[in-house]
């Protein structure tokens, strides 16, 4: 049932190209220029009435929600807040009928996420669920559901569900933008074309798993490391760090690259590995200066950059290139080497990759 792979996690990492294709599926129209989301029951008037979006989720799904915030704000120009579900309802969030609450849950059964959904409905908000399980509690109770067609995810560490959630956010962002007229049609078509190219780009990253494995084996001998990035790279850094902690038990922290010097830089010492994501053109120079700050303190830096950029190699110890794509779409590629990094580090440490200690696949307690 692992289809020849040693672990479900590795199998699921490799299923991502298919999960992307299946999640996009018929939601891209035949012209390949726009998004069709028949499952969304909101009328154009209801969409125009949305004043704010709250994205609520736990763990990896929360990290997908951080990317979702950037995507919706950029494409639909609606203010978005992303909250951890176990915090959301205790902060007396301002939820009105003009709030669209998006809950994200692979299983659709996470207790805190479900409770957030119920609270949102009680306050009169419309709730849209992004979930991988048709017929789950979250799917049944939400007003609208975008199903991620990732297929069953068995490994406790979420991989293909996360990336399928990203695809769902891209589709939703485009759909809202089409309705609201917030970005021009040419850009929508460009993003759609970019989405369609993602599966084969993921395949080309998977073909380089051995390169990541070598880095992972080096990383696995350390007890502490950092992930840094800015903007969308920071959101992906958080996910990479969680994945590594969850299955390799190596302590890591993800930091917004510009925030290091406000305290955390004190922890950088000789030889500490730092995984630096620098895939965003606009933020590249700024990220490079933050990389220089850790290099100057002796960090050993692994840089992740977009193909075609030769600059990062000059400042870091080792690089890994992801295929070039639109800046907005890079999370769907840059997370893949980080999933592999966590997998191979866990393997090198002899851990039970698919069933990490202390954790459950579905968290039905608050
Ligand atoms: O089923 P859900 O998406 O609601 O689960 C949320 C988290 O428990 C889950 O993403 C968790 O963080 C993963 N084990 C991370 O890999």
């Amino acid at each position: 049932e692992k289809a020849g792979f040693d672990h479900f996690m590795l199998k699921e990492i490799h299923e991502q190209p298919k999960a992307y294709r299946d999640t996009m599926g018929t939601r891209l129209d035949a012209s390949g220029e726009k998004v069709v989301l028949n499952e969304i029951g909101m009328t154009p008037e209801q969409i125009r009435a949305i004043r704010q979006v709250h994205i609520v989720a736990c763990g990896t799904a929360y990290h997908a929600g951080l990317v979702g915030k950037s995507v919706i704000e950029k494409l639909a120009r609606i203010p978005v807040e992303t909250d951890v579900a176990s915090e959301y309802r205790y902060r007396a969030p301002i939820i009105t009928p003009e709030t669209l609450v998006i809950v994200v849950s692979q299983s659709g059964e996470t207790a805190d996420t479900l409770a957030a959904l119920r609270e949102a409905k009680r306050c009169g908000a419309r709730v849209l669920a992004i979930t991988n399980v048709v017929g789950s509690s979250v799917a049944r109770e939400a007003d609208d559901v975008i199903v991620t067609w990732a297929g069953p995810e068995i490994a406790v560490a979420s991989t293909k569900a996360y990336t399928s959630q990203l695809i769902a956010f891209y589709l939703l962002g485009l759909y809202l933008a089409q309705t609201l007229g917030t970005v021009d049609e040419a850009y929508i078509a460009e993003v759609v074309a970019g989405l369609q190219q993602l599966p084969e780009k993921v395949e080309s990253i998977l073909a380089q798993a051995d390169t990541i494995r070598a880095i992972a084996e080096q990383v696995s001998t350390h007890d502490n490391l950092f992930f840094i990035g800015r903007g969308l790279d920071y959101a992906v850094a958080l996910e990479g760090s969680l994945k590594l902690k969850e299955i390799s038990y190596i302590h890591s922290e993800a930091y917004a690259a510009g925030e290091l010097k406000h305290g955390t830089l004190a922890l950088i010492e000789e030889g500490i590995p730092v995984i630096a994501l620098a895939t965003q053109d606009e933020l590249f120079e700024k990220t490079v200066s933050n990389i220089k700050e850790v290099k100057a303190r002796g960090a050993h830096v692994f840089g992740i950059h977009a193909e075609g950029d030769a600059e990062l190699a000059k400042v870091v110890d080792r690089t890994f290139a992801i295929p070039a794509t639109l800046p907005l779409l890079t999370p769907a590629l840059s997370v893949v080497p980080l999933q592999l990094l966590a997998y191979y580090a866990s393997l090198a440490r002899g851990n039970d990759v698919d069933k990490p200690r202390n954790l459950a696949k579905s968290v039905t307690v608050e």
Side-chain angles (χ1 to χ4, degrees):
E1 49 180 10
K2 292 184 195 139
F5 290 97
D6 290 340
H7 297 94
F8 282 109
M9 184 184 178
L10 191 61
K11 171 176 177 266
E12 289 160 6
I13 289 173
H14 279 83
E15 282 170 346
Q16 291 179 112
K18 176 170 166 29
Y20 288 33
R21 287 192 188 98
D22 291 349
T23 300
M24 285 183 244
T26 52
R27 291 162 173 161
L28 299 179
D29 85 338
S31 71
E33 284 170 9
K34 61 179 220 207
V35 171
V36 188
L37 280 182
N38 291 329
E39 55 268 79
I40 304 281
M42 278 181 284
T43 62
E45 293 67 43
Q46 285 171 319
I47 290 176
R48 280 192 284 273
I50 300 169
R51 288 287 158 268
Q52 57 169 354
V53 174
H54 288 174
I55 302 174
V56 189
C58 300
T60 284
Y62 166 73
H63 293 153
L66 293 176
V67 175
K69 170 183 162 71
S70 292
V71 170
I72 293 172
E73 288 189 340
K74 179 168 170 77
L75 295 174
R77 306 304 298 155
I78 305 171
V80 183
E81 287 179 56
T82 302
D83 274 81
V84 164
S86 57
E87 291 290 318
Y88 183 64
R89 56 196 206 288
Y90 306 111
R91 72 166 171 94
I94 300 166
I95 310 171
T96 71
E98 287 77 42
T99 310
L100 173 66
V101 175
I102 304 176
V103 293
V104 190
S105 176
Q106 186 283 129
S107 63
E109 302 298 345
T110 299
D112 278 309
T113 307
L114 190 57
L117 176 161
R118 289 177 179 154
E119 175 65 6
K121 291 200 74 171
R122 196 185 63 79
C123 297
R126 190 167 182 110
V127 177
L128 186 155
I130 297 177
T131 182
N132 199 38
V133 180
V134 179
S136 59
S137 303
V138 159
R140 278 185 280 110
E141 295 191 29
D143 299 294
D144 301 294
V145 182
I146 301 180
V147 175
T148 50
W149 295 108
E153 194 180 62
I154 311 294
V156 167
S158 180
T159 54
K160 63 177 182 171
Y162 169 82
T163 45
S164 303
Q165 287 158 0
L166 299 187
I167 301 295
F169 273 117
Y170 292 128
L171 296 172
L172 178 64
L174 289 169
Y175 183 77
L176 295 174
Q178 279 167 198
T179 311
L180 297 169
T182 37
V183 288
D184 57 40
E185 286 172 13
Y187 183 66
I188 291 185
E190 208 185 323
V191 179
V192 169
L195 282 171
Q196 287 169 318
Q197 291 161 11
L198 288 177
E200 62 191 69
K201 291 181 177 176
V202 171
E203 267 150 24
S204 80
I205 296 171
L206 296 175
Q208 300 170 71
D210 285 348
T211 309
I212 300 294
R213 183 173 191 155
I215 298 172
E217 282 167 1
Q218 209 174 321
V219 159
S220 71
T221 62
H222 290 262
D223 293 321
N224 283 294
L225 66 126
F226 289 87
F227 290 81
I228 61 171
R230 286 173 175 255
L232 287 169
D233 284 335
Y234 173 44
V236 174
L238 286 163
E239 173 56 9
S241 176
L242 174 63
K243 210 95 306 173
L244 187 76
K245 282 178 279 213
E246 183 174 20
I247 57 170
S248 77
Y249 317 148
I250 300 170
H251 174 248
S252 69
E253 279 192 53
Y255 249 77
E259 185 66 9
L260 278 176
K261 59 171 97 48
H262 299 285
T264 308
L265 202 54
L267 291 173
I268 302 295
E269 50 187 26
E270 194 62 37
I272 194 162
V274 173
I275 319 285
L277 290 101
T279 70
Q280 304 291 306
D281 284 350
E282 281 179 15
L283 299 167
F284 187 78
E285 290 308 322
K286 294 267 155 73
T287 306
V288 164
S289 46
N290 301 136
I291 291 172
K292 287 180 179 162
E293 292 163 1
V294 296
K295 278 295 303 166
R297 274 110 192 146
H300 189 86
V301 182
F302 298 103
I304 295 182
H305 65 96
E307 198 174 55
D309 148 50
E311 288 307 300
L312 198 65
K314 296 178 189 159
V315 286
V316 304
D317 298 282
R318 219 165 153 172
T319 56
F320 184 85
I322 55 160
T325 185
L326 293 171
L328 193 66
L329 301 180
T330 53
L333 299 178
S334 58
V335 75
V336 179
L338 303 187
Q339 296 168 340
L340 290 167
L341 183 82
Y343 174 78
Y344 287 116
S346 175
L347 202 64
R349 288 195 153 207
N351 296 350
D352 186 346
V353 176
D354 285 336
K355 287 200 178 61
R357 67 187 184 203
N358 308 345
L359 297 171
K361 181 64 182 165
S362 189
V363 182
T364 50
V365 290
E366 295 186 12

